[in-house]
Amino acid sequence: MDWFSNIFATVQQWLFEGFVQPVAFAVGAGNLLEDGYTATGWLVVGLLQIVVMVLVIGPAQRLWPVEAVTDRHAIRVDVIYTLLHRLGLFKLAMFFTFDEWATQFFGFLRAKGLPTLQIDQLWPGVTDIAWVSFLLYLVVFDALGYWVHRFQHQFHWWWQLHSVHHSQRQMTMWTDNRNHLLDSVIVDMVFVTVALLVGVGPSQFVALVALSQLFESLQHANLRWRWPNWVERIAVSPRFHRRHHEVTLGHEPGITTSHPYGANFGILFSCWDMLFKSAEWKGGLQPTGIQDQVESGRDYGRGFWAQQWLGLVRLFQRGRNASG
């Protein structure tokens, strides 16, 4: 794998020198160049993800689709979201703003005596082996992802933003990154904060997120794949996650169903849904969308900017209704 590492490093260096370094100097963040080089890995990893999506998941969708493609415009909008997130543009913006601020803030608190939550100090030696630490952090972040996702449905204000993701009625491998940007900022802040608290290194954080993102692209794919039952009890399959997006499930907070806030919130592992009683094994091949969108024609926006604007409108309307 040395050849792969060399190619990766060459591309990363080229992108860093040609794009990230000039931006860092332009915004007065020249002191962050070392971390900026690590952040450039997002761009390279994103390119690799898109290659896998186009060459592997895309053909599988065409061979074994759940439904026929009838709305290519909706898919093109999702491609915009994917490029924005997977090519590192969103992550780089967060890196030069919140991520660095959070690093400095936690460094200041620790200097003042803030107790550490780093796993290696709580369990000495457990992270000495790279693959062991990677798997450990993967489980920790997947559990966090489950609860963040569940709260996106359970908290009414958060749902007003997260509903952008669920308003896609033509689900494909591009749908994963279809999110309101404010929602993405909130989620990124949560994960970066926890990463700093438990001591995840920058390169390891990139790998954790990249693996999760690629797997989530598979989960959202238009695939009529049914995995063996024992596999679905471990990993989230496309069928299991499509059930999460089905109209009939009733995603809106307060809807009276067997799962009032939705079901199947797992990111990588389905065990969290089984453990916390939110697993729904039936279905997985039905139309997707939001109940009021389908039944009463509520507009969630057709284009990127319309989706972003209407998300804010719903959020502030909710705030005014709550305060009134």
Side-chain angles (χ1 to χ4, degrees):
M1 293 297 289
D2 288 342
W3 63 269
F4 178 80
S5 299
N6 292 335
I7 293 176
F8 188 95
T10 300
V11 175
Q12 184 177 9
Q13 183 69 31
W14 177 75
L15 287 172
F16 174 72
E17 294 178 350
F19 178 69
V20 178
Q21 187 170 267
V23 171
F25 283 122
V27 299
N31 60 312
L32 304 178
L33 289 181
E34 182 176 349
D35 291 332
Y37 180 78
T38 301
T40 310
W42 290 114
L43 280 73
V44 184
V45 169
L47 289 170
L48 292 174
Q49 287 179 320
I50 291 173
V51 168
V52 173
M53 291 169 64
V54 171
L55 297 183
V56 179
I57 304 178
Q61 286 186 137
R62 291 189 289 273
L63 288 172
W64 302 286
V66 173
E67 59 184 357
V69 173
T70 58
D71 191 349
R72 295 192 180 277
H73 171 78
I75 297 174
R76 287 194 293 270
V77 174
D78 285 358
V79 172
I80 294 174
Y81 281 104
T82 302
L83 295 178
L84 177 64
H85 286 80
R86 298 296 174 89
L87 295 185
L89 301 179
F90 181 81
K91 288 293 183 184
L92 283 174
M94 291 297 293
F95 174 79
F96 286 119
T97 54
F98 173 77
D99 293 17
E100 178 57 26
W101 174 85
T103 301
Q104 294 178 354
F105 178 69
F106 278 104
F108 171 79
L109 291 180
R110 285 186 179 128
K112 297 296 182 180
L114 176 72
T116 182
L117 294 176
Q118 293 190 6
I119 292 177
D120 192 54
Q121 295 189 21
L122 297 175
W123 188 356
V126 71
T127 60
D128 288 350
I129 302 175
W131 68 268
V132 172
S133 65
F134 183 82
L135 291 178
L136 182 60
Y137 288 133
L138 188 67
V139 171
V140 170
F141 276 92
D142 197 59
L144 175 65
Y146 169 86
W147 282 107
V148 167
H149 193 186
R150 187 161 178 165
F151 290 153
Q152 286 174 312
H153 285 253
Q154 188 164 341
F155 295 158
H156 284 57
W157 66 268
W158 207 343
W159 169 254
Q160 310 312 319
L161 301 174
H162 185 59
S163 57
V164 169
H165 180 67
H166 280 267
S167 64
Q168 178 57 285
R169 306 206 62 206
Q170 188 77 77
M171 274 182 60
T172 68
M173 63 181 183
W174 303 103
T175 303
D176 175 45
N177 288 121
R178 177 194 176 102
N179 295 295
H180 197 282
L181 294 181
L182 181 55
D183 188 14
S184 296
V185 168
I186 295 170
V187 173
D188 191 77
M189 289 171 63
V190 171
F191 277 87
V192 167
T193 299
V194 172
L196 291 170
L197 284 173
V198 301
V200 181
S203 59
Q204 208 164 29
F205 185 64
V206 172
L208 289 166
V209 174
L211 176 64
S212 298
Q213 286 179 333
L214 189 57
F215 199 74
E216 287 176 273
S217 293
L218 175 63
Q219 293 165 4
H220 288 86
N222 181 22
L223 277 174
R224 186 182 289 271
W225 279 0
R226 183 179 181 87
W227 295 0
N229 289 337
W230 69 270
V231 176
E232 282 199 329
R233 266 53 179 182
I234 299 173
V236 175
S237 68
R239 185 191 71 88
F240 185 82
H241 190 72
R242 187 179 176 90
R243 175 58 175 155
H244 172 73
H245 280 262
E246 285 182 3
V247 178
T248 56
L249 193 60
H251 310 282
E252 300 93 325
I255 293 292
T256 302
T257 66
S258 57
H259 299 283
Y261 300 110
N264 299 4
F265 302 106
I267 307 302
L268 298 180
F269 305 122
S270 53
C271 61
W272 309 115
D273 285 292
M274 292 187 289
L275 179 63
F276 298 110
K277 312 297 183 183
S278 59
E280 175 60 68
W281 301 104
K282 297 178 181 179
L285 298 176
Q286 301 303 314
T288 60
I290 306 173
Q291 197 161 324
D292 63 3
Q293 175 192 29
V294 175
E295 295 181 355
S296 57
R298 185 173 189 179
D299 183 17
Y300 284 84
R302 284 280 292 163
F304 178 89
W305 292 113
Q307 291 162 10
Q308 297 300 304
W309 170 249
L310 289 173
L312 293 176
V313 170
R314 291 191 301 272
L315 178 63
F316 287 113
Q317 282 180 341
R318 178 73 195 176
R320 284 199 298 270
N321 294 338
S323 62

